[in-house]
């Protein structure tokens, strides 16, 4: 039932990009009469933040394409009254008005509302370290930042570019710096304080991304936080905890964001434990007249139930629709986020959905993960490439908790299927049953998603036990490692101390395998070693299959 404009005459929106613009447009589609006023601190509304790195890199050549709407087009099409360069300074909840500062004239004025919507986004984290405010240290958040970065890079081509922060934006930017300076000799360095880049992915999965960065000439400094910067005659020196000094003439500092909550805090609205504005499932704050959405709020994680800040465009856009619905009397609810995310790093794509092992372990949620290396499509069809895939399930319920994939092709659709499966509460058994589209150029008759379900089922059915490569060193009793690959694979490398018996010879050479030691069996990707485990188990041996096999082990070991 859509509310007529009788009770709500005026909606004021703070922030005119992803969340704010979505609220405004849907609100207008639902209600022609309500007055909609939008305040945006910056000079642009409804722009494509996610496209900013690709304009800096030159892949999106036309800057105009990033500007989805202007104040004029929003007025014309949606009859929305947009004020740019207008910062909302405070909220008066009792009298229901906001105080706004026109940043061009410096004048302040009041705007009354029936309903207030907060979508002010997030702020880049800038820790109080020495030299953080030096000119030449940039962050990327909006069009103004993008323009400033491009101006600096165009005024003089840098010789050394340093990115601090190996998260999604940092890695996209490293890739795009390389794209921009493709023909020039520009040194790229990346500093990350954690042991690995891309914190949402587990360590087994990021090894390939780190290899790809190194392959593309990026100097990686991992597990080494920046402690400060100093000006040089011709640039900046960054210092790290381990004592490294990295000289650069351009620095991008993007180590993450924190929710922009200052307005909410000053107005006495409740802030959650993770620093975001607290909202209910209809995205209302504690004040029934004030909604909040996007990067500034806390939402619950759909898998863990934990409250957290998930700064992604998808949630902000969908929340915008819900806020407009609720204002108009439609009973919409936001159920929570999965943190589904993706990025391209040179020739590889990495994607993630749901919870990772680190989080599940921290929360004490029992989980089982399996690693596999399926082909992006039928291996006999040209262009097939191997992807690293991990599926995490809950042994008791067999429900899917998360998945991650890294590869050159086909990663996005597999993670999207798993995201849908998690949302629908599907189990590993459902994954084996899914009928997904197949022809050789696109997939295999057993899609990687089916295979992941089958492998997880095999483990749950006790057809095989698995050992994770990370746990290999921790295996306490002296074990017997068995390599069942072919000779040519063995020649390229093997796990030290392992005995080599190719799978095809295994039945005839069982006498060479000790019965008094735990056996760990591996092949290249895990499939042949599963066959070997089945032979061994049915001959009375106790054995475990090395999950992810030599591919995962070697990726971790080279890291
Ligand atoms: P925003 O879209 O940031 O909008 C908030 C606006 O509020 C800002 O323009 C700000 O100026 C304004 N504002 C703040 N305070 C005030 C005030 N007091 N008064 C008036 N106005 C105010 N997400 C993905 O899912 N995929 C991606 O590939 C991806 N890439 C990204 C790349 C970059 C470079 C960046 C910066 C972000 C990226 N994101 C991506 C994240 C995504 O853009 C955000 O999650 C999304 O924009 C959040 O929407 P929002 O409305 O909460 O905040």
């Amino acid at each position: 039932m859509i509310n007529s404009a009788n009770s709500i005459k005026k909606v004021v929106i703070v922030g005119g990009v992803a969340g704010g613009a979505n609220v405004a447009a849907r609100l207008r589609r639902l209600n022609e009469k309500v007055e909609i006023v939008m305040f945006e601190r910056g000079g642009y509304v409804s722009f494509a933040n996610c496209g900013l790195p690709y304009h800096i890199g030159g892949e999106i050549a036309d800057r105009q394409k990033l500007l989805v709407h202007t104040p004029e087009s929003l007025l014309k099409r949606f009859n929305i009254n947009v004020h740019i360069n207008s910062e909302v300074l405070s909220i008066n909840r009792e009298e229901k008005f906001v105080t706004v500062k026109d940043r061009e004239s410096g004048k302040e004025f009041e705007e009354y509302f029936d309903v207030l919507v907060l979508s002010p986004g997030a702020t880049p984290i800038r820790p109080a370290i020495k030299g953080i405010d030096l000119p030449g240290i940039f962050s990327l958040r909006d069009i103004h930042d993008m323009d400033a970065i491009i101006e600096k890079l165009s005024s003089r081509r840098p010789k050394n570019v340093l990115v601090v922060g190996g998260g999604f934006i940092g890695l996209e930017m490293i890739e795009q710096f390389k794209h921009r300076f493709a023909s020039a000799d520009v040194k790229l360095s990346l500093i990350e304080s954690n042991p690995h880049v891309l914190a949402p992915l587990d360590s087994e999965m990021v090894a390939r991304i780190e290899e790809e960065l190194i392959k593309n000439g990026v100097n990686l400094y991992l597990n080494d936080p920046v402690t400060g910067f100093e000006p040089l005659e011709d640039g900046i020196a960054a210092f790290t905890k381990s004592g490294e000094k990295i000289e650069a003439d351009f620095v991008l500092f993007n180590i993450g964001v924190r929710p922009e909550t200052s307005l909410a805090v000053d107005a006495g609205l409740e802030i959650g434990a993770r620093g975001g504005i607290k909202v209910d499932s209809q995205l209302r704050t504690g004040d029934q007249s004030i909604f909040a959405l996007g990067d500034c709020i806390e939402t619950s994680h759909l898998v863990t139930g934990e409250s957290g800040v998930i700064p992604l465009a998808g949630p902000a856009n969908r929340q915008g629709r819900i806020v407009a619905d609720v204002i108009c009397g439609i009973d919409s609810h936001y159920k929570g986020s999965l943190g589904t995310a993706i990025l391209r790093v040179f020739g590889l794509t990495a994607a993630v959905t749901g919870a990772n092992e680190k989080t599940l372990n921290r929360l004490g949620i029992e989980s089982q993960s399996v690693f596999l290396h399926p082909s992006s499509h039928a291996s006999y069809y040209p262009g097939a490439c191997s992807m690293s895939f991990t599926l995490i399930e809950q042994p008791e319920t067999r429900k899917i908790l998360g998945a991650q994939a890294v590869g050159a092709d086909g990663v996005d659709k597999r993670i999207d299927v798993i995201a849908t499966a998690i949302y629908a509460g599907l189990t590993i058994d459902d994954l084996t049953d899914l009928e997904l589209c197949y022809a050789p150029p696109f997939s295999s008759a057993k899609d990687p998603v089916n295979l992941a379900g089958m492998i997880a089922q095999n483990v749950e059915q006790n057809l095989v036990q698995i050992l994770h490569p990370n746990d290999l060193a921790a295996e306490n009793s002296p074990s017997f490692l068995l390599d069942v690959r072919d000779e040519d694979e063995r020649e390229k490398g093997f796990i030290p101390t392992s005995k080599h018996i190719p799978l095809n010879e295994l039945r005839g050479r069982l006498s060479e395998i000790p019965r008094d030691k735990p056996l760990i069996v591996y092949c290249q990707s895990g499939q042949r070693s599963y066959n070997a485990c089945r032979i061994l188990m049915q001959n009375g041996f106790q054995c475990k299959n090395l999950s992810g096999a030599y591919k995962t082990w070697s990726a971790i070991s080279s890291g």
Side-chain angles (χ1 to χ4, degrees), residues 14-20 39-42 44 47 49-54 86-89 119-122 140-142 169 172 254 260 263 293-296 310-317 340 342:
V14 182
V17 191
F39 293 109
E40 167 53 52
R41 184 173 54 194
Y44 301 89
F47 61 84
N49 333 41
C50 310
L52 303 180
Y54 303 97
S86 300
E87 180 171 9
V88 174
L89 299 177
S119 192
L140 179 61
R141 184 73 204 159
D142 56 26
I169 296 175
E172 282 178 352
N254 263 73
E260 174 59 70
L263 279 176
L293 73 155
D295 289 0
C296 70
I310 301 184
L312 288 169
N317 276 263
T340 308
I342 189 163

Side-chain angles (χ1 to χ4, degrees), residues 67 95 111 152 163 184 186 193 209 241 251 276 326 349 385 403 498:
L67 307 174
E95 294 177 52
E111 188 80 38
K152 170 80 178 165
V163 173
V186 177
S193 61
I209 293 289
K241 196 173 170 195
V251 179
V326 176
T349 303
C385 39
S498 58

Side-chain angles (χ1 to χ4, degrees), residues 258-259 271-277 297-299 306-309 362-363:
R258 59 172 177 73
I271 304 297
R274 307 300 281 268
I277 301 172
I297 62 165
E298 285 193 16
T299 47
E306 202 185 20
S307 187
V309 176
R362 175 172 58 78
L363 296 173

Side-chain angles (χ1 to χ4, degrees), residues 18 28 67 137 285 333 447 493-494:
R28 175 58 72 227
L67 307 174
I137 302 180
T285 65
H333 293 260
D447 186 87
F494 55 86

Side-chain angles (χ1 to χ4, degrees), residues 475-546:
E475 197 53 1
N476 38 26
S477 44
S479 46
F480 185 85
L481 267 164
L482 182 62
D483 179 353
V484 296
R485 296 173 304 161
D486 293 336
E487 192 62 49
D488 57 330
E489 292 167 303
R490 173 93 179 167
E491 275 166 12
K492 289 182 194 141
F494 55 86
I495 304 179
T497 75
S498 58
K499 180 172 175 72
H500 183 219
I501 304 179
L503 176 61
N504 291 350
E505 298 172 23
L506 186 60
R507 286 188 183 86
R509 293 175 61 183
L510 292 177
S511 59
E512 295 173 38
I513 303 168
R515 288 182 179 271
D516 58 344
K517 280 185 177 171
L519 270 177
I520 297 160
V521 188
Y522 73 92
C523 64
Q524 196 68 7
S525 67
Q527 197 184 8
R528 279 169 293 165
S529 47
Y530 169 57
N531 285 318
C533 283
R534 293 302 304 146
I535 294 171
L536 290 162
M537 286 169 78
Q538 290 177 73
N539 279 281
F541 290 89
Q542 295 266 328
C543 62
K544 286 182 183 168
N545 189 7
L546 188 65

Side-chain angles (χ1 to χ4, degrees), residues 350-369:
V352 56
T353 187
N356 61 23
E357 273 200 303
K358 273 176 285 197
T359 307
L360 293 165
N361 290 341
R362 175 172 58 78
L363 296 173
I365 298 174
E366 202 197 339
S367 67
Q368 169 75 65
S369 52

